[in-house]
Amino acid sequence: TAMGKKWHKICFVCKSCKKPMSGTFFEEGGKPMCKPCHQNIYAEVCGSCNVLIDGPSLKAMGKAWHPDCFICHKCDTPLEDQFFEREGLPTCYPCVDAMEGKCAGCGES
């Protein structure tokens, strides 16, 4: 039994590639799907390393990111929810301040 249903061993196949199921699988539309097919169809690619994301991810700048890959492009500081987008890349506040220079009014960053 799998997914609350009875299956013949020869009938328990991936809905996409039709290969027999073994190990980890996903349920899609009431049918089993093997992990490679599920990743090829549904997984997102990291906005930094371009590797499929198989686990937790962050959404920012219209892309998905591995949490460890979402870093400042200038200093590699891990970023969370507070960042700027500069040159199409995530950038931390201190690096943005350094890039933009000092305030013309008060002389501070």
Side-chain angles (χ1 to χ4, degrees), residues 45-48 53 56-61 63-67 69-70 90:
V45 175
C46 177
S48 177
I53 298 173
S57 67
L58 300 170
K59 302 277 188 185
M61 300 168 37
K63 300 177 185 176
W65 306 77
H66 291 110
C69 291
F70 193 59

Side-chain angles (χ1 to χ4, degrees), residues 2 6 11 13 15 20 24-25 27-28 35-36 42 46 48 51 71-72 77 81 86 96 101 103:
K6 179 182 173 184
C11 296
V13 297
K15 76 179 249 176
T24 302
F25 69 90
E27 182 178 351
E28 290 296 333
K35 187 174 181 177
Y42 297 106
C46 177
S48 177
V51 172
I71 58 175
C72 174
T77 298
D81 59 349
R86 290 292 185 266
V96 168
C103 172

Side-chain angles (χ1 to χ4, degrees), residues 84 86 94-103:
F84 283 101
R86 290 292 185 266
C95 286
V96 168
D97 287 344
M99 291 166 64
E100 293 181 353
K102 299 194 182 278
C103 172

Side-chain angles (χ1 to χ4, degrees), residues 12-103:
F12 193 61
V13 297
C14 173
K15 76 179 249 176
S16 182
C17 69
K18 308 298 184 213
K19 292 181 182 174
M21 297 302 301
S22 63
T24 302
F25 69 90
F26 298 85
E27 182 178 351
E28 290 296 333
K31 304 279 184 173
M33 182 178 279
C34 67
K35 187 174 181 177
C37 286
H38 191 270
Q39 286 181 328
N40 287 336
I41 295 170
Y42 297 106
E44 296 179 289
V45 175
C46 177
S48 177
C49 71
N50 294 316
V51 172
L52 288 176
I53 298 173
D54 181 22
S57 67
L58 300 170
K59 302 277 188 185
M61 300 168 37
K63 300 177 185 176
W65 306 77
H66 291 110
D68 291 343
C69 291
F70 193 59
I71 58 175
C72 174
H73 83 281
K74 292 284 188 185
C75 70
D76 295 334
T77 298
L79 300 172
E80 291 181 9
D81 59 349
Q82 295 185 349
F83 66 95
F84 283 101
E85 182 177 342
R86 290 292 185 266
E87 301 166 13
L89 298 167
T91 310
C92 69
Y93 283 109
C95 286
V96 168
D97 287 344
M99 291 166 64
E100 293 181 353
K102 299 194 182 278
C103 172

